[in-house]
Every structure is written in structure tokens, then in C-alpha cells.
Amino acid sequence: MSAAAGKIPHHIAIVMDGNGRWATKRFLPRVAGHKKGVDSLRACVRHCGDIGVKVLTVFAFSSENWNRPAEEVSGLMELLVMALAREVPQLQSEGVRIHFIGERAGLSEKVRAGLAQAEANTAHNTRLTFNICFNYGGRWDIAQAAAKLAARGEPITEQSLNGAMALAHVPDPDLLIRTGGEMRISNFVMWQAAYSELYFSDKLWPEFDAAAIDAAIADFGKRERRFGRTSAQVTSPAESSARRKKAA
Ligand code: FPP
């Protein structure tokens, strides 16, 4: 079944895990897995746009990834700059708007320039918002939002924090996918995933194709999202609100 026939999540967030293992299994350097991961990501962006997903947020480099071998870190930086130069014209024609989410101060001038250029070139697109989390951590986002409010002397409330987050331009993810068989959040969209439906796949990211995305979306379509309410309230909202009025 095509996912397009079911309920399509507005916002999908993905931890693209398993590139290293994909490469190691083939006796290739880890960076080769990340390169293959870019191919998967390109197909994923295209498929999400085609089936009507409006926001896609991916974890491309975490604040903790600096601890990886220097060769892998520089490989990922180079890959980002190259992938942007190569892919942005096509993304541009597909109506994709790119946003970088993360701490830019720690990145080289070349990487920062590449990010700024990709954002500027796609700024007017509206079909799919594509957030690339790079040098990002969920705790970093919460802390930077709090620091921003404190510097402005503004009170810290759920609402004000929400508005100061680096991901404030999009609604929270409906579906959070992690590939690669691990079942953890790993400091991704910590604040925004409060009510996301979680989906874990054993497939490694380079193997996660359009059919795998459709399977995740089909699974999402079967979930009952309650946002703290009871099942009865969700399935029959009119009836439960009438009952609530009666009881009041
Ligand atoms: C996790 O797999 C993946 C990453 C740390 C990088 C994700 C990056 C891409 C998919 C490529 C797109 C990147 C750019 C730069 C646009 P892992 O290396 O932790 O895999 P493992 O768990 O098998 O070791």
C-alpha cells in the first residue's frame, strides 16, 4: 500500500543511524557509509515532498559527533559542503526550503558560508521545509532558548521557551523515526518530541528507502494520538465534550 493513501504526518523527524555499520560490513571506510547516506537522504526528501509531508527534520551531525575520529569529522564536514553545492539546485526546483538548525559558531567559515548560501537560495520555497540539524543537540536548543530569553529579561514559560527554540518555525514532529536498530532519542528534538509517535527500524540508514518510509507512515496511521486525553475523548470528541459540559 502506498503511504499516500493513509494519514500523512505533517512533520517527520529522522535520526539517520547506521551509516558506519553499513560501510564496515562492506569493508569500506565509515565516510563511504555517510556518502551512501546522502543518497538515501536525497531520495527521502524527494519522497516526502511527493507524498505531502510538509516538514522533514534530520539529524546530520550532533554536538557529540565532534568526539568521533578526526578523519570522520572532517569527512562529514566536506560531505556537507559538497552535498549542498551539488543538491541545492535540484532541491530548489523541487520547492524545498532548507534551514540549518544548530550552533554555527563552532563550524568553519567554509561550512558556515555553504549553509548560509543554501538557506538564501531556497528561502522562497514553500512545498517542503527541510531542517538539517548540524552541530545540534536537543539540550543545546533548550539552553540557547533559555539564554536568549534571560538576555532579553523575558520570563521563562513553556510558551516563551517554545518560541525561542531553533525549531520554532515549524510545528512539533508528528512522527520520529530512528533507523539502525537502536531505541533511543540521543539528544535529538528533546523538547519538540513530547508527543511525537516513535518508530524504530532495524534497517541501516543507507538501506532506508521510499518503501521503508511508507511502512513507517502506515504504522503511524494506526496509532491513536491522545495528547493526554482519554481514548474515548479522542474517538468521540463531541460526546466527551457534551459529557464535560453536563458535569460542570
Ligand atoms: C549516524 O550513523 C549518522 C551520522 C552521524 C551522520 C548522518 C549523516 C548523513 C546521513 C549524511 C548526510 C550528511 C550530511 C553531511 C548532509 P553512524 O555513523 O552513527 O552509524 P553507526 O551507528 O553504524 O556507526
Side-chain angles (χ1 to χ4, degrees):
M1 187 200 80
S2 153
K7 192 161 56 174
I8 300 294
H10 182 91
H11 181 176
I12 298 182
I14 309 183
V15 179
M16 308 178 288
D17 199 13
N19 294 341
R21 276 166 287 163
W22 183 92
T24 305
K25 276 209 280 189
R26 287 161 180 79
F27 306 102
L28 295 168
R30 292 177 57 84
V31 173
H34 297 314
K35 279 193 185 142
K36 192 75 183 164
V38 173
D39 294 342
S40 258
L41 185 52
R42 180 191 310 111
C44 175
V45 173
R46 188 159 300 157
H47 189 59
C48 283
D50 286 348
I51 63 178
V53 172
K54 299 308 291 179
V55 185
L56 176 67
T57 300
V58 299
F59 206 177
F61 190 87
S62 79
S63 315
E64 291 75 31
N65 284 152
W66 292 106
N67 298 322
R68 294 197 170 197
E71 183 186 283
E72 185 172 346
V73 171
S74 61
L76 277 164
M77 296 291 159
E78 264 173 48
L79 192 59
L80 175 70
V81 173
M82 270 165 40
L84 289 175
R86 201 178 52 215
E87 310 289 343
V88 166
Q90 181 65 25
L91 294 173
Q92 161 74 338
S93 70
E94 289 170 15
V96 177
R97 178 169 187 178
I98 298 176
H99 285 273
F100 283 94
I101 312 298
E103 171 80 84
R104 293 187 200 216
L107 301 171
S108 74
E109 187 55 48
K110 190 174 167 194
V111 170
R112 278 189 307 205
L115 303 183
Q117 178 100 59
E119 286 185 329
N121 288 353
T122 61
H124 300 294
N125 293 340
T126 55
R127 184 162 167 261
L128 174 70
T129 297
F130 179 31
N131 298 313
I132 303 179
C133 295
F134 201 89
N135 200 17
Y136 167 91
R139 289 178 177 175
W140 163 82
D141 196 7
I142 296 168
Q144 71 77 29
K148 217 188 285 177
L149 294 173
R152 292 188 208 138
E154 287 175 26
I156 293 181
T157 64
E158 261 191 46
Q159 205 181 7
S160 66
L161 265 176
N162 206 31
M165 293 279 165
L167 277 167
H169 60 292
V170 290
D172 290 346
D174 302 291
L175 172 61
L176 170 53
I177 297 173
R178 181 178 184 136
T179 63
E182 311 283 1
M183 288 195 247
R184 45 176 182 265
I185 305 281
S186 296
N187 199 16
F188 189 42
V189 294
M190 300 275 291
W191 174 271
Q192 297 84 359
Y195 285 100
S196 302
E197 294 297 326
L198 307 182
Y199 181 87
F200 298 100
S201 167
D202 286 335
K203 279 188 194 292
L204 305 175
W205 175 249
E207 298 160 346
F208 203 75
D209 56 11
I213 296 168
D214 284 352
I217 293 177
D219 193 82
F220 168 82
K222 289 189 241 148
R223 313 271 182 99
E224 180 183 76
R225 306 191 72 199
R226 294 203 286 274
F227 298 99
R229 290 167 297 167
T230 67
S231 185
Q233 284 175 306
V234 174
T235 48
S236 173
E239 189 192 311
S240 65
S241 103
R243 213 178 298 131
R244 216 169 36 242
K245 274 193 199 128
K246 213 167 144 195

